[in-house]
């Protein structure tokens, strides 16, 4: 199942960057568009592989976020306490 990023569940019980299996449902949306990872699953044996976080692969891309990784890093650098 996709289109509902695991990050939207706000749970501390699981890692939102890893697919979940609840009952007989595989939740694969690991939030790539929201700086998460892209996950692929082999349906025959239910193994999966995930990419590095998208914000590290595409540091200038905002995706569905307000700021890119590089913009966030620049902001933090300029606003040190």
């Amino acid at each position: 199942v996709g289109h509902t990023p695991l990050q939207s569940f706000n749970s501390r019980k699981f890692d939102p960057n890893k697919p979940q299996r609840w009952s007989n449902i595989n939740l694969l949306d690991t939030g790539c568009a929201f700086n998460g990872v892209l996950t692929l699953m082999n349906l025959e044996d239910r193994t999966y592989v995930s990419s590095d976080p998208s914000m590290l692969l595409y540091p200038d891309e905002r995706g569905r976020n307000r700021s890119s990784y590089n913009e966030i890093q620049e902001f933090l650098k300029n606003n040190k306490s």
Side-chain angles (χ1 to χ4, degrees):
V1 174
H3 300 290
T4 303
L6 289 166
Q7 287 88 342
S8 67
F9 290 106
N10 288 332
S11 175
R12 295 180 186 182
K13 296 179 182 178
F14 61 85
D15 181 352
N17 289 315
K18 292 186 179 177
Q20 301 295 309
R21 183 166 171 85
W22 297 351
S23 298
N24 288 326
I25 299 172
N26 293 298
L27 303 171
L28 298 178
D29 192 337
T30 47
C32 185
F34 298 98
N35 291 333
V37 299
L38 179 65
T39 300
L40 304 170
M41 181 177 187
N42 180 331
L43 296 176
E44 292 178 7
D45 63 8
R46 294 190 183 134
T47 58
Y48 63 88
V49 62
S50 297
S51 70
D52 290 333
S54 60
M55 68 179 162
L56 299 179
L57 296 172
Y58 303 98
D60 294 315
E61 178 62 43
R62 289 184 179 165
R64 295 186 176 176
N65 304 293
R66 294 182 181 182
S67 303
S68 71
Y69 177 78
N70 283 341
E71 290 169 333
I72 294 168
Q73 295 304 310
E74 186 67 25
F75 175 82
L76 294 174
K77 184 175 93 177
N78 293 329
N79 292 288
K80 287 185 179 179
S81 299

